[in-house]
Amino acid sequence: MHQKDIITAGKKLTEAKKVLIMIHGRGGTAENILSLAEHLAVDDYALLAPQATDNTWYPYSFIAPLQQNEPSLSSALSVLSDTVNELITQGFTEKQLYFLGFSQGACLTLEFVTRNAARYGGVVAFTGGLIGDKIYQEHYSGDFKGTPVFIGTSNPDMHVPVERVYATSNILRDMNADVTEKVYPNMGHTITQDEIDNANTLIFNK
């Protein structure tokens, strides 16, 4: 089970008008994902990065049967839920909240926001899709009300089938998210400058 361990950077919450929650990938760290902010147009954001226990949000592939990734997955989603609820309690609206994740962190990001759809400031998923051996439509409810979402991925990718990315984008669009999806041929499991540029243009510079 995950302990709530949030690393912060950027503006102080008392001074920021926007908050970016950054979710690291398998084997990564909060500090590592925070370092990505140097390349993002987020100078006026408060940055929050939860740290997964043992550096992993859930033990198996994101397309493994859901039960295999429990209770870690539910615990990881609870960390995000608690973080968002605390920000709301401090006076932030959903529209002031932004989310970004890479790989396992992108999957967790997409799973959380789609289970809790609202008009967020924006969502960036660098190589990820909704979690499960299949799409569990009953888990997803709410209305994104035009929330801008950028999803970038490679085809092929060693961890994330492009078919799941397409299916994820379609579900988000059905829930009224403004999704931009870019599939890069043979990009590899990484984050490219073009993805950074798209995130800045579509999400952070709004």
Side-chain angles (χ1 to χ4, degrees):
M1 301 292 278
H2 299 288
Q3 303 299 315
K4 192 171 172 203
D5 180 14
I6 309 289
I7 308 301
T8 62
K11 290 275 190 184
K12 294 180 181 178
L13 285 173
T14 52
E15 299 171 355
K17 295 289 192 289
K18 299 175 181 179
V19 181
L20 174 59
I21 300 169
M22 307 180 74
I23 314 299
H24 69 75
R26 185 187 299 273
T29 64
E31 288 87 353
N32 178 252
I33 196 75
L34 281 170
S35 69
L36 188 62
E38 297 172 16
H39 307 283
L40 302 171
V42 293
D43 289 346
D44 57 340
Y45 289 62
L47 308 176
L48 305 183
Q51 174 62 53
T53 300
D54 297 324
N55 306 101
T56 299
W57 292 110
Y58 44 86
Y60 297 103
S61 164
F62 86 109
I63 51 175
L66 280 177
Q67 203 54 41
Q68 289 187 15
N69 278 316
E70 294 293 359
S72 296
L73 175 57
S74 290
S75 177
L77 290 166
S78 291
V79 168
L80 295 188
S81 181
D82 290 348
T83 301
V84 167
N85 288 338
E86 284 186 13
L87 290 167
I88 298 295
T89 300
Q90 292 176 50
F92 290 96
T93 65
E94 282 100 344
K95 198 170 181 179
Q96 292 174 287
L97 306 183
Y98 295 72
F99 300 84
L100 177 149
F102 170 64
S103 190
Q104 189 184 65
C107 297
L108 185 61
T109 294
L110 289 166
E111 187 70 17
F112 175 79
V113 298
T114 313
R115 290 191 185 207
N116 301 276
R119 180 43 167 107
Y120 297 113
V123 179
V124 176
F126 293 128
T127 311
L130 292 172
I131 296 173
D133 49 315
K134 63 176 185 176
I135 297 288
Y136 289 87
Q137 187 71 51
E138 66 271 20
H139 290 168
Y140 309 123
S141 62
D143 189 338
F144 280 109
K145 300 177 183 176
T147 297
V149 178
F150 174 71
I151 304 175
T153 196
S154 176
N155 184 27
D157 181 85
M158 68 183 81
H159 301 294
V160 179
V162 72
E163 292 79 14
R164 179 57 61 90
V165 176
Y166 292 142
T168 298
S169 295
N170 288 336
I171 286 175
L172 269 68
R173 289 187 182 108
D174 287 345
M175 297 169 67
N176 298 317
D178 182 8
V179 180
T180 300
E181 164 200 284
K182 288 203 71 173
V183 178
Y184 300 84
N186 301 303
M187 176 178 73
H189 198 69
T190 186
I191 301 172
T192 66
Q193 186 61 50
D194 190 72
E195 288 180 291
I196 295 286
D197 292 344
N198 273 280
N200 284 331
T201 299
L202 298 166
I203 310 294
F204 300 122
N205 276 328
K206 290 282 186 176

